[in-house]
Amino acid sequence: MLLRGKTVVVSGVGAGLGHRIAETVVRDGGNAVLGARTEASLAKSAAEIDPEGRRTAYRVTDITDEVRCEALAALAVERFGGIDAVVHVAAWDSYFGGLEDADFETWQGVLDVNLLGTLRMTRACLPALKERGGSVVLIGTQSAVAAPSQVRQAAYAASKGALTSAMYSLAHELGPYRIRVNTVLPGWMWGPPVQAYVRFAAHTEGVPEAEVLARLTERMALPELATDGDVAEAAVFLASDRARAITGQSLLVNAGELMR
């Protein structure tokens, strides 16, 4: 088991990727400490992942609030004795558009969540991570390194691109404490958000959902989209000791749509 005896903080646990990562942490022997803004989502995920409640804990967390970030980190230490990794899923990804129609006040909000919120949560976990080393795993996006297809999410891409750039500095700063910092960059990822997009596009265009899905998959080297489960596997690998010599790296999980 990759994470036997390890404790992993997972921010942004909802119905999709955050849940999948927490589920994979527990499957691979770890303890998962869940954070999100909605208590009902946290309770549902924890109950599904760990019905007996022995290897999960959760606390309502808004990563734009430093005090709440510190409270989530403190919960991990109180319940399980420390922190070995933190995986950052929490993000604002629902604002669409480009430059010409940009509302820069909203852009600032996106940056506060996706860039500064992630850094707040990381800093809150640092005292515990420093005690025994560990891993910080950032969830980015393929759109941070290549022009997005199908939809425009300039603010999201810019915020995640800034986070990927910050990764390099963090890897050097935290490396002496044996803390690794890496990024997973998903492309089109089959899970609740993309499923909703496919349904919406099919309804709007009056075409079968299979046709919309085919447009997405035709650009892939592999004949199907990566899933949120695939991204979770990559994140858990980077959180584990099997990635002990990997830091400052970005891993595309995208079925080969983009190769770098």
Side-chain angles (χ1 to χ4, degrees):
M1 289 188 170
L2 287 179
L3 296 174
R4 184 184 296 276
K6 304 287 189 181
T7 296
V8 181
V9 173
V10 185
S11 72
V13 175
L17 180 58
H19 175 86
R20 284 292 210 168
I21 289 172
E23 178 181 59
T24 307
V25 167
V26 171
R27 181 204 70 190
D28 280 5
N31 306 310
V33 180
L34 320 182
R37 292 182 300 168
T38 305
E39 186 166 10
S41 295
L42 290 168
K44 184 174 185 294
S45 283
E48 291 177 2
I49 293 165
D50 178 34
E52 295 182 355
R54 294 178 180 175
R55 291 169 48 204
T56 58
Y58 63 84
R59 181 161 287 168
V60 173
T61 307
D62 182 340
I63 63 172
T64 66
D65 185 327
E66 194 158 1
V67 172
R68 288 186 176 271
C69 290
E70 291 171 351
L72 183 63
L75 174 64
V77 174
E78 292 163 7
R79 179 70 187 277
F80 299 113
I83 298 173
D84 297 285
V86 55
V87 183
H88 296 285
V89 184
W92 184 347
D93 61 359
S94 57
Y95 176 65
F96 296 90
L99 177 62
E100 289 187 306
D101 56 353
D103 174 353
F104 286 126
E105 287 188 9
T106 304
W107 275 57
Q108 287 178 328
V110 173
L111 286 163
D112 192 29
V113 174
N114 297 350
L115 174 61
L116 299 180
T118 299
L119 297 177
R120 285 187 195 97
M121 192 67 243
T122 301
R123 186 164 67 179
C125 293
L126 272 185
L129 285 169
K130 284 181 178 180
E131 289 188 9
R132 52 197 187 194
S135 176
V136 176
V137 182
L138 311 174
I139 302 297
T141 174
Q142 178 177 283
S143 297
V145 296
S149 60
Q150 303 294 317
V151 297
R152 290 190 301 164
Q153 287 182 293
Y156 179 67
S159 66
K160 291 292 192 175
L163 189 60
T164 300
S165 295
M167 172 192 71
Y168 300 114
S169 294
L170 294 177
H172 274 286
E173 179 184 351
L174 304 183
Y177 304 108
R178 291 185 171 82
I179 299 171
R180 298 172 289 106
V181 187
N182 295 287
T183 302
V184 178
L185 301 174
W188 285 94
M189 177 180 68
W190 190 248
V194 172
Q195 290 167 347
Y197 167 78
V198 168
R199 287 194 299 269
F200 173 78
H203 176 75
T204 301
E205 299 173 25
V207 299
E209 291 182 15
E211 182 176 325
V212 178
L213 183 59
R215 289 203 301 260
L216 300 179
T217 57
E218 68 183 0
R219 294 188 300 275
M220 312 298 174
L222 298 172
E224 59 187 358
L225 301 186
T227 68
D228 51 10
D230 296 319
V231 176
E233 296 286 356
V236 165
F237 164 71
L238 289 172
S240 77
D241 289 341
R242 291 194 184 177
R244 64 180 296 273
I246 301 173
T247 195
Q249 304 301 314
S250 297
L251 176 61
L252 284 160
V253 183
N254 64 357
E257 179 183 8
L258 173 71
M259 303 181 194
R260 293 172 66 89

